[in-house]
Amino acid sequence: MPLALYALTAGAFGIGVTEFVIMGLLIQVGGDLGVSISAAGLLITGYALGVVVGAPIMTIATGRWPRKTVLLVLMAIFTLGNAACALAPGYWSLMAARVLTAFAHGTFFGVGSVVATTLVAPGKKASAIAIMFTGLTVANILGVPFGTWLGLGYGWRAAFWAVTLVGLIAFAIIALFVPKDTTAPEASNLRNDLAVLARPQVLMGLLTTVLSWVGVFAVFTYIAPILIRISGFPEAAVATILLVFGGGLVAGNLLGGRLADRWLIPALLGSLLTLAAVLLLMTFAVHDQIAAVVFVALLGAAAFATVPPLQIWVLEKAAGAGQSLASSFNIAAFNLGNAIGAWLGGFVIDHGPGLGAVPWVAALAPLAASIVASLAIHGERRRRPAAVPAE
């Protein structure tokens, strides 16, 4: 794999850290800014919604720019946004800075996915996307725990200064190693790009992405109380167990990429059904500590095994001038799933049937995603014209 691909991985790493590092610093942020923990938690929701809104806006605004230029501008926004977070004097200024930073997220991964597929042979496109997304998984294993430690020891602002430094380094690496566009961007306009998004196969692909990650975040958002209150782990053990989850993310991401390169449709449907099965069985596994740790790793692997096939599937259905926009929308779809999943898990906890039921309720979402994907695949095959016999 070319060095340029790992430059994209560096950018993905920085974005992954800034998205999730605040999860471990909510008490410190809330105390410093004089808001409740739940209000501090909305900084995570604000970021996710910033991705959803920012992805189409930034992709449309930069649609005619060379892709390397787009990536560099996005990393500059990301870096400035994190510096603004570190300097924010109050809650709402921090929220605004988080949303500004999030505007770079969706388009970076969307355009980066397109760039990644152009750097490798046709048979390695899904693996290239998986390698770029490895930066996001490594951020969860190394970056987020380190940022949390830094924030707890030196103040939450120190964590954002560290991510600002990561942004500067990623900017330099992308500038050095990502090649300039060899061809001009395809001529496009907003109407044509939106027409691509209106394709039934693309819309069903986006819906599949949303549903699959509703299931992931319905459980992941509340993994700490599940491990503490149901599995019986002490609070101090949760951080270590989450490292196991991060290891599963990396393994599942790379495996999903390889399988999608060889058998895209079986990899897509298989990963969604596997995720549903893991979530369902997790309902029973969390009552035993050893089984709980095993299934936390399996959840990470099953979750990120869906990412490469979902992303490459949408890219294939959106081939043409609107590919970057569709790719960015798919990243927004992941984050919309995150936001809905967090709400769904909270609803199950607050209104019944309770914390222990969150995994099996979450399993219904990727099961629904597999049904949507199957209907899309079946519909595409029915619409495919029959081959004309040779005379």
Side-chain angles (χ1 to χ4, degrees):
M1 294 291 181
L3 284 174
L5 192 53
Y6 296 100
L8 297 176
T9 304
F13 172 81
I15 290 175
V17 174
T18 202
E19 180 176 14
F20 296 115
V21 71
I22 201 168
M23 292 177 73
L25 301 172
L26 293 182
I27 295 175
Q28 288 70 28
V29 172
D32 185 43
L33 300 181
V35 299
S36 66
I37 294 175
S38 59
L42 291 176
L43 293 166
I44 299 170
T45 304
Y47 186 96
L49 295 178
V51 176
V52 174
V53 175
I57 291 175
M58 294 300 296
T59 305
I60 292 169
T62 60
R64 295 178 181 270
W65 298 5
R67 286 172 179 150
K68 180 175 181 177
T69 301
V70 174
L71 293 174
L72 290 173
V73 168
L74 293 172
M75 286 312 302
I77 293 172
F78 165 82
T79 304
L80 292 172
N82 277 289
C85 288
L87 293 169
Y91 176 77
W92 288 110
S93 57
L94 178 57
M95 177 68 81
R98 289 278 292 170
V99 173
L100 169 66
T101 309
F103 266 51
H105 183 125
T107 304
F108 182 88
F109 280 104
V111 174
S113 294
V114 176
V115 172
T117 62
T118 66
L119 297 172
V120 297
K124 294 185 176 181
K125 289 184 176 182
S127 292
I129 290 174
I131 287 177
M132 185 186 74
F133 274 87
T134 298
L136 191 60
T137 61
V138 173
N140 280 275
I141 297 175
L142 301 177
V144 171
F146 175 75
T148 302
W149 170 82
L150 190 66
L152 292 175
Y154 299 94
W156 63 269
R157 297 178 190 275
F160 284 103
W161 282 122
V163 181
T164 301
L165 178 60
V166 171
L168 290 172
I169 294 171
F171 181 95
I173 293 174
I174 291 171
L176 285 172
F177 294 110
V178 173
K180 293 182 179 179
D181 298 59
T182 55
T183 58
E186 294 183 56
S188 63
N189 57 51
L190 181 57
R191 179 178 296 178
N192 291 338
D193 289 347
L194 293 177
V196 171
L197 289 175
R199 294 175 186 171
Q201 299 302 305
V202 174
L203 290 174
M204 295 184 81
L206 296 175
L207 178 59
T208 301
T209 298
V210 171
L211 289 172
S212 63
W213 278 70
V214 165
V216 172
F217 262 73
V219 171
F220 182 59
T221 303
Y222 302 98
I223 193 67
I226 288 173
L227 292 173
I228 294 167
R229 297 180 184 178
I230 297 179
S231 303
F233 285 102
E235 291 184 11
V238 173
T240 303
I241 296 172
L242 290 182
L243 291 176
V244 177
F245 177 82
L249 293 181
V250 175
N253 181 47
L254 296 176
L255 178 62
R258 292 200 173 201
L259 292 175
D261 276 332
R262 296 187 178 185
W263 311 285
L264 176 58
I265 299 305
L268 174 67
L269 296 177
S271 63
L272 292 172
L273 291 173
T274 299
L275 176 58
V278 167
L279 288 169
L280 178 62
L281 294 175
M282 198 172 183
T283 307
F284 310 99
V286 293
H287 293 279
D288 178 83
Q289 290 190 344
I290 294 176
V293 173
V294 170
F295 268 80
V296 166
L298 289 176
L299 175 61
F304 256 75
T306 67
V307 173
L310 283 169
Q311 189 72 355
I312 201 71
W313 189 42
V314 170
L315 282 174
E316 286 191 356
K317 302 311 166 194
Q323 194 175 47
S324 292
L325 183 60
S327 180
S328 297
F329 259 91
N330 202 43
I331 301 301
F334 281 111
N335 281 269
L336 182 58
N338 296 353
I340 296 173
W343 169 84
L344 175 63
F347 183 88
V348 171
I349 294 169
D350 292 339
H351 302 285
L355 183 63
V358 170
W360 73 257
V361 173
L364 299 176
L367 182 61
S370 68
I371 294 172
V372 172
S374 298
L375 291 173
I377 293 163
H378 180 69
E380 183 181 14
R381 288 172 177 169
R382 288 188 62 182
R383 285 190 294 269
R384 189 175 298 160
V388 178
E391 294 182 2

